Amino acid sequence: MASSSSFLLLAVLLALVSWQATASDPSPLQDFCVADMNSPVRVNGFVCKNPMEVNADDFFKAAALDKPRVTNKVGSNVTLINVMQIAGLNTLGISIARIDYAPLGQNPPHTHPRATEILTVLEGTLYVGFVTSNQPAPNRNKFLSKVLNKGDVFVFPVGLIHFQFNPNPHKPAVAIAALSSQNPGAITIANAVFGSDPQISDDVLAKAFQVEKNTIDWLQPVI
């Protein structure tokens, strides 16, 4: 009986390990796999360019990340350098972004479905935070936040809703973020919920947010 129980426990542990091993991208099996953007073959990522045709420019971009950017209507600008800008990032599981914030500007609540983000403030001050998932109480939707100053670093776990806000009404802020995916993706919550194409039924959203339908009808054109 003890032997049977031990075997069952071992089988469960092996299943868990196997699931974990297949739940993330595999490690590269070669030095690099520069993306061949012209290949008609479609895979999860990009097909490798012939290594004999690879050169230094496949790993380079004159991105001018030291230069300020014009911010959008919410007061931010994200300049993302991922595999679409540097083909050599294919299979390497990393990308980088410069984020500019106008005074009182924000990078609004959003998620990266495929990446953890680590952010460092280069100039100014940022109020940042993320919300945990719908896990059992007392940690359900727990909000964790921090005020960051120049040189500070903060981590946003993969898939969780997070934001950054510049609380200074007079000075802009700048941050650099590294993300653990060649193509992290971004889902801005307001845009996804109220600005989808086609629109989500206002009946659904009114019920979900516990508001009147006319409130949803007002929000959808605005977003």
Side-chain angles (χ1 to χ4, degrees):
M1 186 68 177
S3 177
S4 176
S5 299
S6 298
F7 177 79
L8 180 59
L9 179 59
L10 178 61
V12 170
L13 288 173
L14 287 173
L16 288 172
V17 169
S18 299
W19 174 84
Q20 190 67 32
T22 58
S24 59
D25 293 339
S27 299
L29 300 179
Q30 52 216 7
D31 288 346
F32 50 77
C33 173
V34 173
D36 184 352
M37 302 298 185
N38 299 315
S39 173
V41 178
R42 293 290 175 262
V43 296
N44 185 23
F46 296 95
V47 173
C48 300
K49 181 178 180 179
N50 184 339
M52 298 301 294
E53 298 174 2
V54 169
N55 59 61
D57 285 339
D58 291 316
F59 301 90
F60 170 79
K61 182 177 181 63
L65 290 186
D66 59 324
K67 301 293 192 297
R69 265 61 173 179
V70 176
T71 55
N72 57 24
K73 64 181 181 180
V74 296
S76 65
N77 186 312
V78 179
T79 305
L80 176 65
I81 307 299
N82 64 7
V83 69
M84 303 306 296
Q85 286 76 43
I86 300 180
L89 286 174
N90 191 39
T91 75
L92 297 185
I94 194 169
S95 54
I96 192 170
R98 173 189 168 115
I99 312 169
D100 291 80
Y101 310 85
L104 299 180
Q106 67 170 298
N107 189 11
H110 63 283
T111 74
H112 300 296
R114 296 178 290 276
T116 291
E117 175 181 350
I118 183 167
L119 176 142
T120 184
V121 179
L122 299 184
E123 296 292 341
T125 299
L126 291 176
Y127 171 57
V128 307
F130 67 85
V131 180
T132 64
S133 59
N134 299 349
Q135 54 191 320
N139 293 318
R140 181 183 297 117
N141 300 137
K142 186 174 183 179
F143 176 48
L144 303 173
S145 65
K146 193 79 175 174
V147 173
L148 307 182
N149 296 306
K150 183 176 180 178
D152 290 344
V153 176
F154 197 82
V155 174
F156 304 104
V158 59
L160 298 187
I161 295 174
H162 61 283
F163 69 90
Q164 302 104 35
F165 172 70
N166 177 9
N168 193 312
H170 306 294
K171 295 182 179 180
V174 181
I176 287 286
L179 301 109
S180 62
S181 172
Q182 68 181 44
N183 184 25
I187 303 171
T188 303
I189 306 306
N191 294 353
V193 173
F194 298 108
S196 64
D197 183 17
Q199 291 181 342
I200 300 173
S201 165
D202 55 5
D203 290 315
V204 172
L205 295 180
K207 184 76 170 180
F209 288 96
Q210 295 292 286
V211 297
E212 298 295 328
K213 283 192 356 179
N214 59 4
T215 302
I216 302 298
D217 295 337
W218 177 79
L219 281 171
Q220 284 179 322
V222 173
I223 303 299

